[in-house]
Amino acid sequence: MKNISAFYENCIQCPRRCGANRAAGVRGFCGENLELRAAVSCLHFGEEPPLTVFGGSGAIFFTGCTLRCAFCQNYQISQQGFGDAISKNDFAKICLDLQEAGAENINLITGSHHIPILAQFIREAKSAGCALPFCWNSSAYENVESLEALKDCVDIWLPDFKTLDKDFSKKVFLAQDYPEVAKKSISWMIKNFPLKTKIVSKEGRGEKEKILRGVIVRHLFLPGRFEDTANTLAWLKENANGKAMISLMSQYTPVSFKEKSKESLRRKSALAAFENRLVSETEDGDLRDLIAAYDFENLFYQELNCDTSWLPDFSKPEPFGNVLAKVLWHCK
């Protein structure tokens, strides 16, 4: 079997194939070298109901990202490098602590640039006694060849499907090929991981559906981009309906970025590609009509909410300003 570090020499793990020698300490487009870094682990109650169920999703937020989403709420860790290196033993302990705290699953957030290491770490965590399903929470900007390494250790897939517009993708995510890459990776996930759920109950809290295996595809509606969402849902209706759960999100929230002026100018230009504001009540109504027209078998839609207190600040010991999460570990 190929040595783990070999995957990081002339790195071609993600679709960018940037060729950085991450094994020698060079940081790739993702901002990371050979070290796996993370910022926080927590019980997360803001994910889709089949993931949070009663105990919350056991979220681990990794440092770095293969995209440069102009509106990223997690920009401190995805684009500014906030986080500490964690070892195989650290990772296993984090997973076991989440399990002990009552997590329903282990939710690996933005790990696409570290697939070889995470595949190994997941197996080690399972050997150490973690019996929870592992959830791969990603942008879907991933090579199918890389995803194959996770086939025997990941149970649940939670990909974004951001857009089908190549020009928009180039401007806002710095990845013109995102639509085609995401279609391929999401199709692979759906083909290889049929939905498996069960009804679970808890005294005094009734019954809920819990996902054990399968795919939940997310799409975030961006203000003023109704046609983009309609086109994306049309693709999902044809290719995912009845095979995966769909999650249409309406919580887009402008972020107050703290960054250098050069990066701020690039971001401002990218954000001009859509309306950088909260979703309106009119748009909410239009989205509901669209959902009714498509008639998905299994779709979640968020209630419109103007609360912005959920925006995280990962530099704080309690990054989440409301009741969405219970932090178990923080890097600083």
Side-chain angles (χ1 to χ4, degrees):
M1 182 177 176
K2 192 175 181 180
N3 185 280
I4 291 294
S5 64
F7 288 98
Y8 290 79
E9 299 168 357
N10 187 33
C11 187
I12 56 171
Q13 286 185 51
C14 87
R16 294 189 186 277
R17 302 179 179 272
C18 72
N21 188 353
R22 294 169 61 190
V26 178
R27 298 192 182 277
F29 179 92
C30 60
E32 298 303 297
N33 51 33
L34 186 61
E35 289 185 321
L36 176 67
R37 295 196 292 164
V40 67
S41 73
C42 61
L43 296 177
H44 202 310
F45 297 93
E47 307 287 47
E48 286 74 8
L51 287 170
T52 58
V53 199
F54 296 111
S57 184
I60 306 174
F61 290 81
F62 295 108
T63 306
C65 187
T66 60
L67 292 181
R68 284 290 184 276
C69 299
F71 52 82
C72 183
Q73 69 195 42
N74 297 340
Y75 75 98
Q76 292 164 303
I77 58 175
S78 65
Q79 299 172 24
Q80 293 187 342
F82 185 84
D84 284 347
I86 59 172
S87 68
K88 175 174 59 180
N89 291 338
D90 294 331
F91 178 82
K93 185 179 187 307
I94 289 170
C95 292
L96 292 172
D97 287 347
L98 287 167
Q99 178 173 266
E100 179 66 22
E104 305 285 352
N105 44 68
I106 302 297
N107 186 347
L108 308 176
I109 300 173
T110 315
S112 306
H113 50 296
H114 270 305
I115 288 177
I117 285 178
L118 279 170
Q120 181 188 66
F121 281 19
I122 293 168
R123 295 185 186 100
E124 291 290 338
K126 289 186 175 185
S127 296
C130 185
L132 297 176
F134 277 79
C135 173
W136 190 256
N137 185 335
S138 76
S139 67
Y141 191 61
E142 297 159 316
N143 293 322
V144 168
E145 297 80 10
S146 294
L147 294 178
E148 287 282 349
L150 299 167
K151 200 172 182 179
D152 67 340
C153 55
V154 167
D155 310 281
I156 303 164
W157 301 81
L158 187 60
D160 290 336
F161 193 17
K162 298 177 182 293
T163 184
L164 284 169
D165 187 321
K166 292 190 297 183
D167 293 334
F168 182 79
S169 186
K170 179 180 180 180
K171 189 174 184 66
V172 180
F173 311 132
L174 292 188
Q176 188 170 15
D177 60 344
Y178 175 84
E180 291 305 313
V181 169
K183 284 192 289 187
K184 289 178 182 178
S185 62
I186 291 171
S187 296
W188 179 90
M189 295 171 191
I190 292 171
K191 177 183 177 181
N192 288 283
F193 291 83
L195 274 174
K196 181 181 179 182
T197 65
K198 73 173 182 178
I199 302 300
V200 294
S201 62
K202 191 169 185 178
E203 187 175 353
R205 298 181 66 181
E207 295 184 339
K208 293 186 179 182
E209 184 179 27
K210 177 177 180 175
I211 184 168
L212 302 176
R213 187 176 174 87
V215 184
I216 303 175
V217 185
R218 288 173 163 173
H219 173 71
L220 175 65
F221 169 72
L222 297 177
R225 299 281 301 182
F226 183 83
E227 184 178 357
D228 200 1
T229 288
N231 292 337
T232 302
L233 288 182
W235 188 91
L236 290 171
K237 176 68 176 181
E238 180 179 352
N239 296 279
N241 190 38
K243 303 173 186 177
M245 296 179 175
I246 310 301
S247 178
L248 177 57
M249 303 182 294
S250 62
Q251 90 280 19
Y252 179 82
T253 306
V255 177
S256 297
F257 296 96
K258 298 176 182 178
E259 58 192 348
K260 297 178 181 178
S261 58
K262 181 179 179 180
E263 182 61 20
S264 180
L265 288 172
R266 187 203 73 80
R267 195 180 301 279
K268 184 177 180 179
S269 174
L271 289 173
F274 63 99
E275 298 173 25
N276 186 28
R277 56 168 173 79
L278 295 172
V279 175
S280 70
E281 291 186 6
T282 298
E283 288 171 323
D284 177 63
D286 291 342
L287 289 173
R288 291 177 184 275
D289 289 342
L290 184 64
I291 291 169
Y294 279 125
D295 190 27
F296 281 94
E297 289 185 29
N298 204 330
L299 181 142
F300 301 98
Y301 179 66
Q302 293 175 317
E303 294 293 327
L304 190 64
N305 190 340
C306 294
D307 176 26
T308 62
S309 64
W310 60 271
L311 284 174
D313 182 350
F314 288 95
S315 66
K316 297 179 179 179
E318 295 286 342
F320 306 92
N322 56 16
V323 296
L324 280 182
K326 178 183 177 182
V327 174
L328 273 68
W329 172 84
H330 189 270
C331 68
K332 300 294 184 183

